[in-house]
Amino acid sequence: MKAVSKQSTIYDVARLAGVSSATVSRVLNEPNRVAAEKRERVQEAIRTLNFVPKADAVIKARKAYKKIGVVAPFFTQPSFMERLRGIASVLSAEHYELVIYSIDTADDLSSYVQMLVNTRRVDGLIMMCVKPSAEVLQFLREADFPVCFVEYECEGFDCVAVQNLFGGQKAAEFLHKKGCVNPGFVGELSTRSFAIAATEERFRGFQFYYANQGIIIKKEHVWIGEFTASSTDKAILEYLAQEELPDGVFCSSDVIAARFIRLAENKGIKVPEQIKVIGFDNIDVSDYFGLTSVSQSLEESGVVAAQLILQRIENRSSSVTTVKVPIKIIERETTGSL
């Protein structure tokens, strides 16, 4: 008589891990509420038993609902929203639902990834501006759905790579050609270990280009600090109070550039006559206040990420793809005559 294979249950996992079924349920749905040692035992049991929670229900749900998740630490920032617009434009045309997981801590990231891998609630996952730990990366490698990274190149995964270092070099080259030989930089400090250190990479590229021209950026002309409305404005005002000001400033984002320009003009410092200003991202509003900006094709990068996920769903065995988004300068009034 042919043996009938038995689907492992939550109780089998609990028994093997030596915990209660309630603990297994919490690991599946809210892993951050479970102590690390117990969580690891449950995860090991899940792997050993090849446990699929509510397998039939998941399969039925997937026939009715198609979902793509987006994990991001900068949900409220304009650059995120523009990327999201590109993602949504592709997914809506294919009738996929978009689910956003906004993260503020490394525990948030780990918890969401474990939950999604264990419960299989999405058909694909886009990791935006995230640099995962080895533990999180291992979970993603075990996922039965495709994963695409945006702004981070990760071996074995489809990626949409943003050239932050090159973008900084382009900003420096542009200002130098405009005659700026006493440059400055203002940017947001990257404090989250799980997020891409974009500001620092942009500054390194900016600094590198000027160094190659024999120009060392003065320490007092560089500010990289905490980005809140009050702390940034205070720092910029102190920056602008210096006796000697730079003749060109590269801001790590358009949002910071807008604050810099407003505060400079409030102090009677003319942009671009006294200081030329360039931002990064080329968000929609940059055009309205004439900000020169480094474009990283935000909406297009979202489009590409969504396309890569859908292609991977259709063909899981195709070669891994890395797409580098084009970097270009969009010249406007804040750096002088066009």
Side-chain angles (χ1 to χ4, degrees):
M1 182 176 178
K2 185 177 180 180
V4 178
S5 62
K6 175 179 175 291
Q7 174 70 45
S8 297
T9 69
I10 194 171
Y11 303 104
D12 297 325
V13 173
R15 193 177 302 110
L16 182 60
V19 299
S20 68
S21 59
T23 297
V24 176
S25 180
R26 280 194 293 273
V27 170
L28 292 173
N29 296 286
E30 299 175 284
N32 59 324
R33 292 183 56 199
V34 181
E37 186 270 333
K38 281 188 179 180
R39 192 167 64 228
E40 180 53 38
R41 276 159 46 199
V42 172
Q43 292 292 353
E44 184 59 34
I46 287 172
R47 285 190 284 267
T48 300
L49 296 172
N50 194 27
F51 171 67
V52 179
K54 298 181 181 178
D56 292 339
V58 171
I59 291 169
K60 289 177 182 177
R62 285 196 173 183
K63 289 179 180 177
Y65 303 102
K66 300 192 294 183
K67 297 183 180 182
I68 301 295
V70 174
V71 173
F74 308 115
F75 173 62
T76 58
Q77 291 195 8
S79 58
F80 173 86
M81 300 309 295
E82 291 193 25
R83 274 207 183 108
L84 192 63
R85 187 169 64 203
I87 293 170
S89 69
V90 174
L91 298 184
S92 61
E94 299 296 328
H95 307 292
Y96 271 85
E97 181 180 350
L98 181 58
V99 185
I100 299 167
Y101 301 94
S102 180
I103 56 174
D104 290 317
T105 67
D107 284 343
D108 286 345
L109 174 60
S110 179
S111 180
Y112 277 133
V113 168
Q114 288 185 46
M115 180 270 291
L116 291 171
V117 172
N118 287 332
T119 61
R120 310 180 189 191
R121 293 182 183 178
V122 295
D123 297 289
L125 191 62
I126 296 173
M127 305 287 286
M128 195 177 294
C129 306
V130 172
K131 183 179 180 181
S133 65
E135 179 190 19
V136 170
L137 196 56
Q138 183 56 38
F139 272 103
L140 292 172
R141 293 193 189 283
E142 294 173 358
D144 75 335
F145 50 76
V147 177
C148 177
F149 283 88
V150 177
E151 206 163 334
Y152 178 64
E153 293 185 59
C154 191
E155 185 179 355
F157 294 94
D158 294 321
C159 307
V160 180
V162 174
Q163 304 172 78
N164 285 305
L165 191 73
F166 180 60
Q169 292 174 348
K170 293 290 286 184
E173 179 184 23
F174 179 85
L175 286 177
H176 189 251
K177 287 182 177 178
K178 284 283 186 179
C180 298
V181 294
N182 185 18
F185 182 88
V186 175
E188 175 185 2
L189 181 66
S190 301
T191 58
R192 297 169 176 175
S193 61
F194 56 89
I196 298 298
T199 292
E200 290 79 1
E201 287 203 4
R202 292 166 191 175
F203 175 62
R204 282 200 300 118
F206 187 73
Q207 187 180 41
F208 177 78
Y209 180 88
Y210 267 107
N212 280 343
Q213 313 312 310
I215 298 171
I216 304 302
I217 302 174
K218 297 173 182 175
K219 183 172 65 175
E220 59 269 26
H221 288 170
V222 176
W223 179 82
I224 300 176
E226 182 185 5
F227 180 55
T228 65
S230 58
S231 65
T232 303
D233 284 1
K234 181 176 182 292
I236 291 173
L237 285 170
E238 291 175 355
Y239 187 100
L240 293 169
Q242 297 179 76
E243 186 174 338
E244 181 194 26
L245 291 172
D247 53 9
V249 170
F250 174 35
C251 297
S252 67
S253 73
D254 293 342
V255 173
I256 291 178
R259 303 188 83 90
F260 186 93
I261 292 167
R262 177 178 63 82
L263 292 170
E265 292 181 342
N266 285 349
K267 287 180 65 68
I269 299 169
K270 294 182 179 180
V271 176
E273 291 84 357
Q274 291 173 264
I275 303 179
K276 293 176 172 56
V277 178
I278 182 171
F280 199 106
D281 283 334
N282 193 41
I283 59 177
D284 289 342
V285 296
S286 299
D287 192 36
Y288 292 104
F289 54 88
L291 174 65
T292 294
S293 184
V294 181
S295 170
Q296 56 165 311
S297 308
L298 286 167
E299 188 169 342
E300 180 60 23
S301 67
V303 167
V304 172
Q307 290 173 339
L308 288 174
I309 279 287
L310 295 184
Q311 290 167 11
R312 182 64 56 190
I313 289 172
E314 288 297 315
N315 184 2
R316 296 297 297 272
S317 62
S318 62
S319 299
V320 169
T321 301
T322 295
V323 178
K324 292 190 176 181
V325 298
I327 292 287
K328 60 183 177 180
I329 304 291
I330 306 299
E331 185 176 2
R332 300 189 180 96
E333 291 88 342
T334 60
T335 51
S337 57
L338 305 181

